[in-house]
Amino acid sequence: MRAESFHRPVKAVLPAAGFGTRFLPITKAVPKEMLPVGDRPVIDYVVQEAVAAGFTDILIIVSREKNCILDYFDRNHELERRLRSAGKHSEADELERIASQANFHFVRQPEMKGLGDAVLQAQAFVGKDPFALLLADTMILDNNGRPGKGDSLNALVSAHLEHRCSSVAIEPVAAERIHRYGVVGGRELHSGQFELKSMVEKPQPDEAPTMLDSGGQAYSHGFAFAARYLFTARIFDFLRTTQPGKNNEIQLTDAMAQLLVEEGFYGCRLPGKRLDIGNAAGLLEAHEIILKGKSSHD
Ligand code: G1P
């Protein structure tokens, strides 16, 4: 066991610095994290998820072209005053709520060298505390099929507090899609809880690690990282020395594989559903789910 404290973590890091090449041409001018789902950008739901799970301090990692993310989470007093003087109090209240729901911090990734390098920019903010990592281009729905309560992050926090090491959300993925994800092997301890033994970023099917069920039988499908992580600060020591890997980028998964050897690592099966909005089909699905939920509440 290392010397980190094992209190419930309160810091969350949201990398939002990628080019968004899977969603060009729109992402040439609009960050993918700012694409609309219902009446708000995707990253709004990701922040709400972190806040719902008790994270009070949020660092968003941006690149040069993404200043509109800072504007979105900042107060705009002039606009709020104008709305209030026009009697539009609920709109003004909502803008105020968005900016004051957490303590927001921002940092720029100077060069887009990969997810691992983006996460490294969070080191000064994180210090020695454990922290959550939420990929800001992915919405996670709860058990009830709606965004909101942070079930997935809560499961990761519980695993972290129980096993005193890092944990990550994982989900089953079919063999033909395995080359798109970070893939993990290990064994299931009990339903939905996995002890991880190996991790490979975007493997070919024959390089993918195997996951055993609680009876020791290999699952016929793989298990992939699902955009939510809970790290001990030790991850930074490995990130600092990780060399470019898959796609010539500094891969978070490569640093995680080293952390696993030193501290162990737990996987929690994603209790809800992952919606990757980095492509048009995922964005459309998210939009439909949100609009359906909204109309059933109207
Ligand atoms: C990233 C990670 C990968 C993970 C995926 C989905 O890949 O590198 O390990 O499985 O997110 O959470 P990307 O989608 O940025 O290529």
Side-chain angles (χ1 to χ4, degrees):
M1 192 187 120
R2 299 193 55 79
E4 283 98 347
S5 65
F6 285 91
H7 303 298
R8 198 178 163 95
V10 294
K11 293 181 183 175
V13 173
L14 279 61
F19 278 120
T21 43
R22 285 182 299 145
F23 218 146
L24 283 167
I26 178 78
T27 46
K28 183 172 175 234
V30 181
K32 62 180 170 177
E33 297 81 8
M34 290 300 287
L35 292 173
V37 172
D39 62 358
R40 58 196 64 231
V42 170
I43 194 167
D44 184 305
Y45 298 94
V46 181
V47 165
Q48 285 189 55
E49 179 191 338
V51 170
F55 292 90
T56 53
D57 289 71
I58 295 181
L59 174 74
I60 303 181
I61 301 164
V62 294
S63 50
R64 270 184 305 282
E65 297 77 13
K66 301 207 180 186
N67 288 346
C68 59
I69 298 179
L70 280 69
D71 295 338
Y72 184 79
F73 289 105
D74 197 6
R75 290 291 293 274
N76 182 334
H77 293 285
E78 192 187 343
L79 175 59
E80 286 174 31
R81 264 198 306 274
R82 204 162 286 200
L83 288 168
R84 290 198 192 282
S85 62
K88 298 186 170 175
H89 292 288
S90 63
E91 286 87 343
D93 288 348
E94 177 59 1
L95 296 191
E96 200 180 322
R97 188 199 62 75
I98 288 169
S100 50
Q101 64 189 311
N103 303 313
F104 287 104
H105 307 259
F106 298 90
V107 67
R108 267 192 184 167
Q109 182 187 21
E111 256 184 277
M112 294 191 196
K113 294 199 285 190
L115 179 59
D117 180 68
V119 175
L120 191 52
Q121 311 307 315
Q123 186 169 17
F125 164 78
V126 165
K128 293 199 171 328
D129 300 326
F131 66 102
L133 182 77
L134 295 83
L135 304 190
D137 63 357
T138 304
M139 284 172 63
I140 303 287
L141 304 179
D142 287 327
N143 266 328
N144 60 5
R146 310 267 317 132
K149 300 201 300 324
D151 288 345
S152 179
L153 287 176
N154 283 324
L156 295 183
V157 170
S158 301
H160 163 73
L161 294 174
E162 184 184 343
H163 301 292
R164 312 206 152 200
C165 62
S166 301
S167 55
V168 57
I170 61 174
E171 65 175 350
V173 58
E176 60 273 18
R177 298 175 63 234
I178 217 127
H179 63 281
R180 296 196 204 166
Y181 298 102
V183 179
V184 288
R187 68 184 178 107
E188 190 162 17
L189 299 176
H190 44 87
S191 182
Q193 292 278 327
F194 299 81
E195 184 183 4
L196 304 183
K197 302 225 188 263
S198 57
M199 315 176 161
V200 183
E201 181 65 17
K202 301 187 171 70
Q204 290 308 310
D206 60 341
E207 309 163 329
T210 304
M211 187 69 85
L212 304 179
D213 66 20
S214 49
Q217 298 294 310
Y219 274 100
S220 58
H221 53 72
F223 278 85
F225 295 139
R228 298 295 183 263
Y229 311 75
L230 198 300
F231 286 116
T232 63
R234 180 80 172 130
I235 187 71
F236 294 115
D237 297 331
F238 296 110
L239 280 171
R240 272 200 306 275
T241 55
T242 296
Q243 297 301 308
K246 198 69 142 206
N247 301 334
N248 205 25
E249 293 182 344
I250 297 173
Q251 294 291 350
L252 177 62
T253 304
D254 294 346
M256 289 169 69
Q258 296 177 65
L259 182 63
L260 180 157
V261 173
E262 190 180 281
E263 290 189 344
F265 222 114
Y266 281 79
C268 300
R269 193 173 175 142
L270 194 71
K273 182 174 161 61
R274 183 178 63 92
L275 293 171
D276 176 3
I277 59 78
N279 63 76
L283 186 70
L284 193 64
E285 188 181 357
H287 208 69
E288 279 171 2
I289 289 169
I290 295 298
L291 291 184
K292 223 178 275 166
K294 208 167 183 314
S295 64
S296 69
H297 285 97
D298 287 344

